[in-house]
Amino acid sequence: YPIGGKVSLPHFRDYVIENFNVDLSDRREGVPVPNEYPAPVPCPEFLADIRGHGIDCTQNGEDRLIRCHGQTLHDVHMMRTGTFKRIPDVVLFPTSHEQVEQIVQSANKRNVVLIPYGGGTSVSGSVTCPEGETRPIAALDTSQMNRMLWIDRQNLVACFEAGIVGQDLERELRQLGFTVGHEPDSYEFSTLGGWVATRASGMKKNVYGNIEDLLVRVKMVTSKGVLERSLAVPRVSCGPDFNHLVLGSEGTLGVITEVVIKIRPLPQVKRYGSLVFPDFGSGIRCLREVARERLQPASIRLIDNEQFVFGQALKIPGGPLATVGEKLKKVYLTRWKRLQLDRIAIATLLFEGHDAQVKQHEAKIFTIAKRYGGFSAGSSNGEKGYILTFVIAYIRDLALDYSIVAESFETSVSWDRCEALCTNVKSCVRKECAKHNIQHYLISCRVTQTYDAGACVYFYFGFNHAGFSNPVTIYEEIENKARDEILASGGSISHHHGVGKIRSRWYPQSVSDVGVQLYKATKRELDPNNIFAAGNLIPAKLQDTDEPTSLKAKL
């Protein structure tokens, strides 16, 4: 990243001190890697089966610990404080689809729980071991299933094993002149199988599509056998599409092993851009018009003023000329454009395609932006804003050393409710902070993906927890209140992070009683012994009952 390896970021240091009242001399690093780990639940027959099939496995404590968590604030805090309560009892490293079949057969025979583990980037608690599970738990690590199996240049599809990491998949394709174009914030670490299991979305979905648009065929090993569509054709009409049964299943129905995915030739031109708007609402109305006209570039994102200030603080200091340039920009915005710096919002753009096409596309969007008070702020600002998305996760973890807990959460919402939802959620968080006497915090948002009917909105919330004995609990209470407000304002429980365990409480009301019963019936059919017991999607209290959720609520 552009800021990587820099000795000093004085603007950011000043920003943190001013906004979070942080004492940078008081750094509190997490506990060291432990010397002792919970003893594994015995499973000698299962381990004998696994070794008999030639499958690598380990019960090493550190290997088990690494695979007991994702990247939620709760997970990272648990690791930093050494307060993990349940970790896998064994880690498995299959190298092929056939070995996964052998693992699933043995797990059913020996009553061993399987939790598929890809890149460990989950922010929904989906790979966390259920604390009350008494059976042996095996983490099925797909990292050794990371090959491109074949590529079909004529039909523009390729087949990969599910454990391949996003950036590795892209590197392999780019060497051959192609791209899949799927670029989630986590693509440095997240895997293709994880994208399918969570119904992931990428930053360039406007050109390449979300994972459900890219998926041609998927192979999943269930307790009843392999679920796979027999043809890899562009579209079929033969009943419900079972690809969509796999999409979003979050490890609860089986193990995804192979994926056939669409690819595209590399674009001739890649160009960044940015727009300045007088306020966030004007930016939303512009993005809505761009979507209405079907003019979205590969990526178009709108950040509010709080995130704009945050991004400005991360600028790398320049020399005297750079300082003069910044002052001139400020004069231009305030005196010539008559904008209020504490209200402006910024949109970052990424165009990909043919040169003439990109130029025409760019001109049309700038024309629309002008109608809403927007104007170009240059390509370099657009590139910096785009890259900032990748950087934020690293900053979250660094901030934990300085008594700041922070996390992001997202939703999708219709255009007519988008601005109100952003306003309502921010207001909700501010009220909750006041209740907890939290004085130094940040709540900000950005529109990250746009559609004909609405958009995805990301919220970022963090606060200085100095003096609080239970900061993560307080954070979770406030985020839960914010999530209630999101639903009340017309938003969804998730746009692309999935449900996992931390959002399962809202799943029944999102899919209805019939939807819950349909999912549970599918679970019973594909996993009758409940070995894929990750505990995702459905709240624990509903896992073992067929009563409608509305009836349980009445009781």
Side-chain angles (χ1 to χ4, degrees), residues 342-478:
D342 61 352
R343 296 196 65 201
I344 61 174
I346 308 293
T348 59
L349 312 170
L350 172 61
F351 299 90
E352 291 190 357
H354 298 288
D355 186 51
Q357 178 190 41
V358 166
K359 287 179 180 177
Q360 184 182 46
H361 203 170
E362 196 174 37
K364 288 181 178 179
I365 289 178
F366 286 177
T367 298
I368 292 175
K370 189 175 182 180
R371 296 203 292 266
Y372 295 92
F375 58 91
S376 174
S379 60
S380 62
N381 286 325
E383 184 174 8
K384 291 173 184 174
Y386 188 84
I387 292 173
L388 176 63
T389 303
F390 293 104
V391 175
I392 286 178
Y394 293 92
I395 295 173
R396 188 279 303 264
D397 290 354
L398 172 65
L400 288 169
D401 285 354
Y402 297 97
S403 300
I404 297 174
V405 290
E407 185 64 284
S408 65
F409 49 96
E410 37 71 73
T411 185
S412 59
V413 62
S414 58
W415 281 118
D416 62 325
R417 297 187 177 190
C418 185
E419 185 175 1
L421 181 144
C422 293
T423 300
N424 293 346
V425 172
K426 285 183 176 182
S427 177
C428 171
V429 170
R430 292 186 185 110
K431 290 178 182 176
E432 291 301 313
C433 284
K435 289 181 183 178
H436 289 280
N437 197 30
I438 297 171
Q439 299 178 11
H440 303 285
Y441 63 91
L442 170 71
I443 175 64
S444 67
C445 68
R446 65 167 62 190
V447 176
T448 62
Q449 282 103 322
T450 61
Y451 301 85
D452 291 352
C456 169
V457 178
Y458 250 97
F459 291 93
Y460 296 87
F461 171 50
F463 64 90
N464 184 335
H465 66 77
F468 293 94
S469 59
N470 54 345
V472 174
T473 300
I474 293 174
Y475 175 90
E476 291 172 344
E477 289 176 2
I478 295 176

Side-chain angles (χ1 to χ4, degrees), residues 133-209:
E133 181 58 71
T134 58
R135 294 175 293 174
I137 297 177
L140 193 156
D141 188 313
T142 62
S143 60
Q144 305 308 301
M145 298 172 60
N146 57 10
R147 298 170 296 170
M148 178 193 291
L149 299 179
W150 51 261
I151 183 170
D152 185 338
R153 292 170 172 84
Q154 183 174 358
N155 293 310
L156 292 179
V157 292
C159 182
F160 292 89
E161 291 179 309
I164 190 167
V165 172
Q167 64 176 354
D168 297 337
L169 182 152
E170 271 296 311
R171 185 187 62 248
E172 294 299 310
L173 285 175
R174 286 177 178 274
Q175 291 174 353
L176 300 174
F178 298 98
T179 179
V180 72
H182 188 70
E183 202 168 274
D185 299 354
S186 62
Y187 102 123
E188 293 174 276
F189 307 106
S190 57
T191 61
L192 175 58
W195 297 347
V196 174
T198 57
R199 293 184 66 91
S201 178
M203 292 192 282
K204 299 190 292 188
K205 73 90 191 165
N206 293 332
V207 168
Y208 302 99

